[in-house]
Amino acid sequence: MLVSGDLVTSRIDDRSDAIAVVGMSCRFPGAPGVEEFWKLLTDGTEAVSRAADGRRRGMIEAVGDFDATFFGMSPREAAETDPQQRLLLELGWEALEDAGIVPGSLRGEAVGIFVGAMHNDYATLLHRAGAPAGAHTATGLQPAMLANRLSYVLGTRGPSLAVDTAQSSSLVAVALAVESLRAGTSRIAIAGGVNLILADEGSATMERLGALSPDGRCYTFDARANGYVRGEGGAAVVLKPLADALADGDPVYCVVRSAATGNDGGGPGLTSPDHEGQEAVLRTACAQAGVDPAKVRFVELHGTGTPVGDPVEARALGAVHGSGRPADAPLLVGSVKTNIGHLEGAAGIAGLVKAALCLRNRTLPGSLNFVTPHPAIPLDRLRLKVQTTPTTLHPDPDGAPLLAGVSSFGIGGTNCHVVLEHLPEPAPTTREALPAPHLVPPLLLSARSHPALLAQAARLRDHLSRTAADPQDVAYSLATTRSLFEHRAALPCGNREELVAALDALAHGRITAGVRVDSAVSGGTAVLFTGQGAQWVGMGRELYGLDGVFAAALDEVLG
């Protein structure tokens, strides 16, 4: 049993191989971040629109925007580099920051990078345009660089793998990351996937295959199911052994109990799914997790909305999770593809991010575009229910853990299923009241350029304006979990309204009273000895009584 303060994780069933999701980032249609993604889900928004080619798809904004200098790339190298690589650099960095890990602290560490993707549209665009090969074309278009470039920027030495198992690529990447952490080849892992629709050929190919919905919607498990709608975007998660996460005091989105993969051996054809193969991977995942399949509360479906695939998936779920369930407690199912489209190589990580947020928030949003069950999906007999409205995920009356599953299936039969568990929140702690007058920490910002520093101020202003975040907590996080760059600003954060006003002024290039803005000079720590006459009796006594760090340092110096 693992214990951290008041948190007792006996619900993990004494498993030492449990893996924690401690950070995440995403860029999805209609949702440029995790907070926006959760709002999109709970609002029941369908972020699918009509593209320039007339097809409906889920699209992300500003695909070409990229701060090359931030990641040490020249403009020419960035132009020759697949935007999927560029997006992954951003997602990996943001996921680490979300986990409270300073990216620079990982240099030389055994950090594994596992990335799923299945398309290389940028190469198609460049070849079609007859663009000459440049000095960076080879690295810019090589699929392996999706993972390798992130490893290079972070300076990490763990496994670095790009994975292509078609539509299941990114969830298989998560499974490989989990294996690496359990085997000890990685101390921390970043797993994710990307999918950008940059060339028309991919859509035309899937259209000829008959996989795309003519009306551009995913009607998952519905009688109208006629294919899927393509979507683009990406996401990344940071994974650590649960014991390490608890010891480090990390916030945990959820726990990965198991991640199973396998190929279904093929149905009637290469691209036709086989229910027995899908059943096998579901059973294996539950067995590895040590859980009763009937106790899993909900499953985030592969759920593409195809008339062939949906009934096969439903049959497999009914055989594994529906068997033994009471009629009044069906397995709840839904698909994020109804919100943002099918992200293909990044579809699995999109489903995992959704499921992790559902567990953390104890809420399952409704799945869209469902009215009448597909005639080949007898929901009642299979003990399944498509959840169409948001519902609270209440604790199990018998104290069993809250469990969820995530499925992702590749067109060639490579399937993956992950079992997740909700981790109870630790008991809230009461912050000790600071004596008055107390020391208020400054709020520190830093960036690689002055315009980026102003943009940071604008984003933080917006965050404080729309949330109830404690400015002092924000100041602590910025000081301890963010990289320190050349252009810096310090703002007093004793008063929330004044801080927001100061951030707004800084965002517009104005410096108000008490704000300091400067560019750091490279070098080590400097110590200034002022000579005699600059001291007075009792100097530092008040600070000694208020600041434990200062007091400990002074005690050490004075012996």
Side-chain angles (χ1 to χ4, degrees):
M1 182 169 65
L2 301 170
V3 181
S4 178
D6 294 325
L7 174 61
V8 181
T9 61
S10 58
R11 293 187 177 185
I12 305 305
D13 197 28
D14 297 327
R15 293 173 62 86
S16 60
D17 57 357
I19 304 298
V21 178
V22 297
M24 60 173 60
S25 63
C26 68
R27 204 85 82 248
F28 294 141
V34 172
E35 181 180 326
E36 295 86 350
F37 181 49
W38 182 243
K39 185 176 188 304
L40 179 144
L41 293 172
T42 54
D43 287 350
T45 301
E46 183 185 56
V48 175
S49 57
R50 197 165 299 281
D53 63 3
R55 295 183 178 92
R56 283 173 53 82
R57 66 173 64 113
M59 297 176 286
I60 62 172
E61 297 181 358
V63 171
D65 288 357
F66 179 67
D67 189 347
T69 304
F70 182 90
F71 292 104
M73 297 172 67
S74 69
R76 174 172 293 181
E77 183 176 10
E80 295 179 24
T81 299
D82 187 343
Q84 293 184 136
Q85 288 189 35
R86 304 181 220 160
L87 178 56
L88 271 167
L89 290 177
E90 296 172 344
L91 291 171
W93 192 280
E94 292 169 6
L96 287 171
E97 288 191 333
D98 184 58
I101 298 172
V102 178
S105 69
L106 299 179
R107 187 163 297 277
E109 295 288 332
V111 178
I113 310 292
F114 303 85
V115 176
M118 63 178 284
H119 293 302
N120 197 1
D121 282 13
Y122 199 58
T124 300
L125 284 183
L126 294 182
H127 294 327
R128 184 201 299 163
H136 307 289
T137 301
T139 53
L141 302 182
Q142 172 59 244
M145 293 295 165
L146 290 167
N148 298 165
R149 191 180 292 275
L150 182 55
S151 296
Y152 170 75
V153 167
L154 297 175
T156 55
R157 295 180 177 172
S160 185
L161 306 177
V163 180
D164 182 359
T165 59
Q167 290 84 353
S168 59
S169 297
S170 58
L171 202 61
V172 171
V174 171
L176 292 173
V178 169
E179 288 182 11
S180 180
L181 289 166
R182 288 174 174 168
T185 55
S186 295
R187 183 176 66 85
I188 299 173
I190 301 173
V194 287
N195 190 61
L196 293 181
I197 304 170
L198 307 176
D200 298 336
E201 285 83 344
S203 294
T205 298
M206 298 310 292
E207 197 167 49
R208 283 193 291 270
L209 184 65
L212 299 187
S213 168
D215 50 4
R217 279 191 170 84
C218 286
Y219 296 106
T220 302
F221 278 28
D222 191 87
R224 296 166 292 172
N226 58 4
Y228 72 82
V229 56
R230 300 186 74 197
E232 61 181 8
V237 295
V238 178
L239 306 170
K240 292 175 69 173
L242 178 62
D244 292 349
L246 295 177
D248 294 340
D250 296 330
V252 177
Y253 284 93
C254 67
V255 174
V256 180
R257 290 290 299 265
S258 67
T261 62
N263 195 281
D264 64 17
L270 174 63
T271 63
S272 298
D274 177 71
H275 74 91
E276 291 182 351
Q278 291 185 12
E279 284 181 34
V281 79
L282 296 173
R283 293 189 192 280
T284 299
C286 290
Q288 290 179 353
V291 302
D292 179 354
K295 290 295 185 180
V296 173
R297 189 75 61 85
F298 72 90
V299 165
E300 172 62 23
L301 301 166
H302 181 61
T304 55
T306 58
V308 174
D310 281 7
V312 171
E313 181 172 9
R315 182 178 176 183
L317 285 169
V320 177
H321 292 285
S323 178
R325 301 180 85 96
D328 61 350
L331 176 72
L332 306 180
V333 297
S335 174
V336 73
K337 295 175 179 65
T338 62
N339 298 95
I340 60 176
H342 187 349
L343 269 60
E344 299 170 325
I349 194 68
L352 186 141
V353 169
K354 174 189 170 182
L357 291 173
C358 291
L359 289 173
R360 188 180 198 186
N361 294 293
R362 307 292 299 249
T363 300
L364 180 61
S367 193
L368 309 182
N369 305 331
F370 180 83
V371 177
T372 305
H374 190 285
I377 303 178
L379 292 174
D380 291 341
R381 182 169 61 81
L382 296 173
R383 298 288 195 267
L384 307 178
K385 177 186 177 183
V386 178
Q387 188 64 39
T388 57
T389 58
T391 185
T392 301
L393 298 170
H394 295 288
D396 196 294
D398 64 4
L402 178 58
L403 300 168
V406 182
S407 290
S408 193
F409 306 143
I411 194 172
T414 296
N415 303 325
C416 185
H417 187 77
V418 174
V419 176
L420 306 176
E421 178 175 347
H422 169 261
L423 187 70
E425 294 286 341
T429 57
T430 302
R431 176 190 293 173
E432 293 184 8
L434 292 173
H438 62 272
L439 297 176
V440 178
L443 189 145
L444 305 175
L445 298 176
S446 75
R448 291 213 186 265
S449 67
H450 186 68
L453 184 68
L454 304 189
Q456 286 270 41
R459 284 194 292 271
L460 192 54
R461 172 204 62 199
D462 294 343
H463 175 70
L464 290 174
S465 297
R466 69 174 183 268
T467 69
D470 184 335
Q472 293 188 37
D473 286 344
V474 173
Y476 176 82
S477 297
L478 288 174
T480 60
T481 67
R482 292 296 186 268
S483 299
L484 193 58
F485 297 117
E486 300 85 348
H487 294 263
R488 305 173 185 177
L491 301 88
C493 66
N495 179 282
R496 184 186 188 88
E497 289 72 25
E498 292 177 0
L499 173 60
V500 171
L503 286 167
D504 182 68
L506 181 58
H508 290 90
R510 303 190 307 273
I511 301 175
T512 54
V515 176
R516 297 292 182 268
V517 178
D518 204 353
S519 297
V521 177
S522 60
T525 301
V527 180
L528 175 65
F529 292 94
T530 62
Q532 298 300 314
Q535 308 84 26
W536 62 89
V537 175
M539 186 177 81
R541 179 177 296 164
E542 182 179 4
L543 181 61
Y544 184 89
L546 293 175
D547 192 311
V549 175
F550 175 80
L554 188 59
D555 288 344
E556 181 180 358
V557 170
L558 297 179

